[in-house]
Amino acid sequence: DIQMTQSPSSLSASVGDTVTITCRASQGIRSDLCWYQQRAGKAPKALIYAASKLQSWVPSRFSGSGFGTEFTLTISSLQPEDFATYYCLQYNYYPRTFGPGTKVEI
Amino acid sequence: EVQLVESGGGLVQPGESLRLSCAASGFPFQYSWMDWVRQAPGKGLEWVANINQDGSEKYFLGSVKGRFTISRDNAKNSLYLQINNLRAEDTAIYYCAWALNYWGQGTLLTVSA
């Protein structure tokens, strides 16, 4: 199975900051990577697919990049509603595998 | 508006069986791959299974093969997850998802004696 790792596991930031989360795959997955946001007690919400393409409902302060084994999610000008846990998911291989999550805290 | 509504969760005893359902609307269900993802209490997300448009292709997480069955009824716009021989480690919120882009709110399954 493809192992996904994320760093950091948690971070503290302030409103207006720029934060970057890294996701690494144990082998190459091309651009077959999604990012999700999960607020406490809520279902996950898709943010990015194909490593860098924003879902239509996602504000432009979110961006994704990467190819192969290393990927990043960047949130510019952090807003109060962005404090949540973020997960990456690879969908190049079965079983699909998620990263362990990165909690973004105030 | 896309809607995915899961149901069928609850408190069940180890060894029992259960079928989870997901009612879909607002998108072309019959032409869509569908997935189940679960989340144990306080833990991360874990992909469980998916199924193609006509049910002829199904994929599973290795640890659930043989106990979990995924199926669909395109006439009813519904997705199902049959779980047999339930174990404590199956305790989780189960989400259905359309192409892993749209997710339901989940149904909580608790396996405990």
Side-chain angles (χ1 to χ4, degrees):
Chain A
D1 297 359
I2 305 296
Q3 305 303 314
M4 305 299 290
T5 59
Q6 286 182 236
S7 59
S9 56
S10 66
L11 64 91
S12 295
S14 300
V15 172
D17 285 353
T18 294
V19 301
T20 298
I21 300 167
T22 298
C23 176
R24 290 185 175 88
S26 59
Q27 62 188 79
I29 58 170
R30 303 184 304 180
S31 296
D32 294 338
L33 184 106
C34 293
W35 288 98
Y36 297 90
Q37 177 193 68
Q38 188 176 34
R39 298 188 179 112
K42 300 295 186 182
K45 173 184 166 184
L47 299 175
I48 286 171
Y49 64 101
S52 61
K53 300 183 180 182
L54 242 60
Q55 295 284 358
S56 59
W57 52 82
V58 177
S60 59
R61 64 180 180 273
F62 289 87
S63 63
S65 65
F67 182 87
T69 62
E70 187 156 331
F71 302 86
T72 60
L73 172 70
T74 299
I75 313 171
S76 305
S77 187
L78 207 62
Q79 297 300 300
E81 60 268 28
D82 300 336
F83 292 95
T85 300
Y86 293 84
Y87 295 92
C88 60
L89 164 78
Q90 70 80 19
Y91 55 93
N92 188 249
Y93 291 96
Y94 282 108
R96 310 311 196 198
T97 43
F98 287 90
T102 295
K103 188 172 185 179
V104 177
E105 299 174 294
I106 300 174
Chain B
E1 180 195 2
V2 173
Q3 285 203 319
L4 295 161
V5 180
E6 301 91 340
S7 60
L11 175 62
V12 294
Q13 298 207 341
E16 293 185 341
S17 297
L18 191 76
R19 188 177 81 160
L20 305 179
S21 300
C22 172
S25 61
F27 67 97
F29 178 81
Q30 67 189 97
Y31 301 120
S32 304
W33 280 82
M34 296 296 296
D35 292 76
W36 286 100
V37 176
R38 68 183 178 183
Q39 186 169 36
K43 303 296 185 183
L45 300 169
E46 183 175 54
W47 178 86
V48 172
N50 71 359
I51 186 169
N52 74 337
Q53 294 88 340
D54 64 3
S56 61
E57 288 185 59
K58 303 172 186 180
Y59 298 91
F60 294 90
L61 179 66
S63 60
V64 307
K65 277 182 190 174
R67 288 195 308 120
F68 285 34
T69 303
I70 188 171
S71 62
R72 64 192 296 159
D73 185 336
N74 287 341
K76 295 182 178 179
N77 277 9
S78 292
L79 175 72
Y80 306 102
L81 186 69
Q82 175 75 33
I83 310 175
N84 297 326
N85 190 20
L86 278 155
R87 303 170 180 168
E89 55 263 36
D90 296 322
T91 294
I93 296 172
Y94 285 76
Y95 297 101
C96 71
W98 169 34
L100 291 169
N101 289 328
Y102 294 86
W103 296 53
Q105 288 306 300
T107 186
L108 175 62
L109 170 62
T110 303
V111 183
S112 174

